[in-house]
Amino acid sequence: MTSAIPRTASVRARVPLTAVRAGKPPPNAAPGPGGGPELVSFRRLRDGRDHTAYVVPPLGDEPLVRIHSECFTGDVLGSTRCDCGSQLDEALRRLLDEGGVLLYLRQEGRGIGLYNKLDAYLLQDRDFDTYEANRMLGRGADERDYEVAAQMLLALGLPRVRLLTNNPDKVGQLVTHGITVTAVEPTAVHLTPDSARYLRAKREIGGHMFTSTTSPFSLPAEAPLMSPAE
């Protein structure tokens, strides 16, 4: 895989913002810009979308970074069909404990958009897996592009990071676009009865590495990944 440096982006604005979603106060929350957590916007991101970074000091030379793709159903409504909301809460707790950056990317439904994702849910209810459902809608199984994440990190002056993820594609794309990933720290496995087949598809089809020891990952062997093609 050939390394490529993404086109240059820059910081547009830094807005002091204290988040309590994770149920705890942030560290070092001094008032004023730069003294505590900030929400950062950007100029010249490749896809022109309103991606943001939540920056929680202290950062250090190799800060912990979570790249989180927008999920209205999981992040806002707390849906148990996916692990997105739980992963977001986990990431914020980690960042508020030790500092770091949450990159919140506007890539709903692995890049296919909210309405298409809801249509894919209906197909999943007919026993097609999450990747096959996307393809049946005429979309890619996973259309997310993490070049913008690399742009954001470089604009923040963070070329070296520890990445909080189970998804090797995030690591590969960041490295391709000029970011050094010094360590990969797995997220916990947020398993519910509703998300079991979804997580199994992420592991067996998407290649996600579920290595967390904090939450056992056991799926029923009889659960199919997709229905026959009739």
Side-chain angles (χ1 to χ4, degrees), residues 142-154:
D142 190 339
E143 297 184 3
R144 289 175 294 180
D145 182 347
Y146 299 111
E147 180 180 346
V148 291
Q151 286 185 292
M152 294 160 76
L153 290 171
L154 292 175

Side-chain angles (χ1 to χ4, degrees), residues 107-137:
Q107 299 188 137
E108 180 85 42
R110 294 199 307 279
I112 69 173
L114 178 58
Y115 281 13
N116 283 324
K117 183 179 83 169
L118 296 180
D119 291 340
Y121 276 178
L122 295 176
L123 291 170
Q124 291 171 44
D125 289 342
R126 293 165 48 194
D127 288 334
F128 293 93
D129 73 77
T130 179
Y131 297 97
E132 182 68 8
N134 280 16
R135 288 191 290 264
M136 291 174 70
L137 296 173

Side-chain angles (χ1 to χ4, degrees), residues 50-130:
D50 293 341
H51 307 295
T52 54
Y54 187 57
V55 180
V56 183
L59 296 183
D61 295 331
E62 298 174 2
L64 183 68
V65 171
R66 169 67 184 172
I67 302 173
H68 189 87
S69 295
E70 178 183 34
C71 177
F72 173 77
T73 51
D75 298 345
V76 177
L77 301 180
S79 169
T80 56
R81 291 187 65 135
C82 65
D83 55 350
C84 301
S86 297
Q87 287 187 324
L88 178 60
D89 287 341
E90 177 191 358
L92 286 172
R93 284 193 295 269
R94 288 284 306 272
L95 297 182
L96 296 175
D97 276 338
E98 58 189 276
V101 179
L102 171 76
L103 301 183
Y104 196 80
L105 304 187
R106 309 303 297 272
Q107 299 188 137
E108 180 85 42
R110 294 199 307 279
I112 69 173
L114 178 58
Y115 281 13
N116 283 324
K117 183 179 83 169
L118 296 180
D119 291 340
Y121 276 178
L122 295 176
L123 291 170
Q124 291 171 44
D125 289 342
R126 293 165 48 194
D127 288 334
F128 293 93
D129 73 77
T130 179

Side-chain angles (χ1 to χ4, degrees), residues 61-63 65 153 158-163 174 179-183:
D61 295 331
E62 298 174 2
V65 171
L153 290 171
L158 302 174
R160 298 172 59 85
V161 303
R162 294 176 292 122
L163 198 61
L174 283 190
I179 301 298
T180 300
V181 178
T182 61

